Amino acid sequence: MSHEVQRWADTRSGLTSIIPSKEERQHSRAVANLVRETKFAGLKVDAEAAVTGRIMERTVDLDQHRRSLANGDPVLDAVLTRIEIGFVDKALRHQRNFGSAFPS
């Protein structure tokens, strides 16, 4: 697939010219912009994955901490669970809105 994309990006039609035509320059700029946008989109995906992983890690840590603090007391466990759920809800909102210009 990458060979096909490279073929589309190549403006040379068999003839090589020292001075590229206006169309060749426009095409080269468009290709460069597309490559830049693609790299940026990949970076955003990686950042979102990192945020998601961090949320999951912190949720596990908090859940273990809650269990330790409650020490089997069902009332205290219920209170601490509500606090933990508040974190999870807020983390989910943050994850949904990550990188969005229109937070919900």
Side-chain angles (χ1 to χ4, degrees):
M1 176 109 126
S2 66
H3 294 294
E4 189 174 352
V5 173
Q6 285 175 325
R7 182 173 51 83
W8 290 338
D10 190 6
T11 58
R12 293 173 293 183
S13 60
L15 301 173
T16 55
S17 171
I18 295 175
I19 301 174
S21 69
K22 179 180 178 180
E23 292 79 20
E24 289 172 326
R25 288 191 309 273
Q26 289 174 335
H27 180 78
S28 293
R29 275 193 302 274
V31 168
N33 287 338
L34 181 59
V35 167
R36 189 172 48 258
E37 290 170 9
T38 302
K39 287 179 180 179
F40 187 66
L43 179 61
K44 288 192 326 187
V45 167
D46 291 346
E48 290 178 23
V51 166
T52 300
R54 183 65 176 157
I55 289 169
M56 291 189 298
E57 290 168 359
R58 292 302 295 147
T59 300
V60 168
D61 293 344
L62 287 172
D63 191 58
Q64 291 171 349
H65 189 57
R66 174 190 52 82
R67 291 171 194 255
S68 172
L69 289 174
N71 198 27
D73 181 336
V75 174
L76 183 54
D77 187 58
V79 171
L80 295 175
T81 297
R82 290 184 64 174
I83 295 168
E84 183 180 341
I85 290 170
F87 166 78
V88 171
D89 287 341
K90 186 171 185 174
L92 289 172
R93 281 193 309 275
H94 179 79
Q95 180 191 27
R96 255 192 313 275
N97 296 329
F98 186 76
S100 172
F102 303 103
S104 58

